[in-house]
Amino acid sequence: MRLPGRVGDAAELRKSLKPLLEKRRRARINQSLSQLKGLVLPLLGAETSRYSKLEKADILEMTVRFLQEQPASPYSTAVSGPLDSYLEGYRACLARLARVLPACSILEPAVRARLLEHLQQRTVSGGPPSQTPTPAPAPAPSPQVPPPGSPGLWRPW
């Protein structure tokens, strides 16, 4: 059984909200274009006050022209092969590890240094670990067990 007027109410609501949604959409577009203008003009060396009244199409054209003049990104993988992509990822991971590892209190400083040195040597060798001989495993440092009842490593079990 259909309730009279329910479908009509939804249609009326959509009709009344459409101008409001369109107004918000246009405001977002204009705000983004304003930000784009503020970012691109200084990069082009253009004086911002001179270009206070640019059309939207002009802002977009200037941005496209600026981006086309930029050199290709070193991170573009379309040109690079799988080995280059692997090395880029490996180097990025190594850089992040070099930033985070010094704060790791589990490993002794000497072990941290050896680990980073080993991983950096892998970068120089230029290939995935499966393509280079694996070194002899280093002796594991003796784990320091915290006394019972003290807050040690958090374990989910």
Side-chain angles (χ1 to χ4, degrees), residues 142-156:
S142 60
Q144 297 174 350
V145 179
S150 69
L153 283 177
W154 178 81
R155 292 192 172 100

Side-chain angles (χ1 to χ4, degrees), residues 80-97:
S80 63
L83 183 59
D84 294 335
S85 176
Y86 171 83
L87 287 174
E88 280 181 28
Y90 189 91
R91 287 183 185 124
C93 184
L94 182 60
R96 184 176 294 170
L97 185 63

